[in-house]
């Protein structure tokens, strides 16, 4: 199975094709993405640009996954386009905004920063919103 990796951490949108042997493909997103990371290293599939790194994005079954410091973060196609079209020197700031998001479920507003729950309508929480810090309490901005 060939995966497409967008080398956004250190290059201007180069694409790396990463071949994961079919017999190692499991259909489990987490396992498969770890295989993509493994085979995306120049030690295993040498290419003329850096190995797959934190800050790169892999396309998996028409979904986009940001390679984080630990694991992967799913991002929307729209957020991928924003990240990919941001100048290289500003991408870290933009991805921080993308990964720090507000999610509304049926019971309350929950704020997440990566995988860490920050707040569930019971106290102030800081959320980065396109480079600006904003404080929220009970789902309302208090900044």
């Amino acid at each position: 199975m060939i995966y497409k990796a967008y080398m956004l951490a250190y290059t201007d949108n180069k694409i790396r094709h990463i071949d994961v042997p079919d017999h190692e493909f499991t259909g489990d997103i987490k396992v498969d993405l770890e295989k993509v990371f493994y085979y995306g290293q120049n030690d295993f599939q040498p290419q003329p640009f850096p190995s797959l790194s934190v800050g790169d994005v892999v396309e998996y079954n028409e979904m986009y996954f940001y390679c984080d410091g630990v694991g992967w973060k799913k991002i929307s196609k729209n957020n991928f386009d924003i990240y990919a079209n941001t100048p290289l020197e500003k991408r870290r700031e933009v991805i921080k905004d993308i990964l720090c998001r507000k999610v509304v479920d049926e019971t309350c507003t929950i704020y997440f920063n990566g995988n860490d729950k920050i707040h569930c309508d019971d106290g102030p929480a800081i959320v980065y919103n396109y480079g600006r810090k904003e404080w929220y309490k009970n789902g309302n901005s208090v900044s």
Side-chain angles (χ1 to χ4, degrees):
M1 173 79 55
I2 304 286
Y3 291 92
K4 191 182 292 186
Y6 299 89
M7 310 302 290
L8 300 172
Y10 300 108
T11 71
D12 283 323
N13 301 335
K14 291 189 187 294
I15 295 175
R16 181 184 186 117
H17 296 284
I18 300 170
D19 187 8
V20 176
D22 289 341
H23 71 277
E24 293 192 34
F25 177 74
T26 67
D28 179 300
I29 293 172
K30 287 183 180 182
V31 173
D32 291 344
L33 287 172
E34 290 307 315
K35 294 290 183 182
V36 171
F37 186 83
Y38 176 84
Y39 285 104
Q41 303 306 301
N42 282 335
D43 294 342
F44 304 104
Q45 292 180 7
Q47 295 197 14
F49 40 88
S51 295
L52 186 64
S53 303
V54 170
D56 295 332
V57 175
V58 169
E59 188 174 345
Y60 175 95
N61 290 342
E62 299 178 16
M63 297 178 288
Y64 295 86
F65 291 87
Y66 171 82
C67 184
D68 207 357
V70 176
W72 299 83
K73 302 287 190 281
K74 184 178 178 183
I75 61 174
S76 69
K77 169 74 168 108
N78 183 55
N79 282 335
F80 165 74
D81 290 339
I82 291 168
Y83 181 54
N85 291 312
T86 298
L88 185 59
E89 64 276 3
K90 295 186 177 193
R91 285 192 189 137
R92 286 184 189 215
E93 181 178 320
V94 167
I95 198 64
K96 179 172 57 173
D97 291 337
I98 289 170
L99 296 177
C100 197
R101 65 203 178 278
K102 180 174 90 169
V103 178
V104 178
D105 73 5
E106 292 144 15
T107 60
C108 64
T109 302
I110 303 170
Y111 300 95
F112 284 90
N113 180 352
N115 289 328
D116 301 321
K117 182 170 139 180
I118 295 176
H119 165 66
C120 183
D121 287 346
D122 58 1
I126 192 166
V127 175
Y128 286 90
N129 197 0
Y130 294 98
R132 297 183 320 273
K133 290 184 198 177
E134 294 183 4
W135 285 93
Y136 285 84
K137 184 172 184 175
N138 299 325
N140 299 310
S141 176
V142 293
S143 50

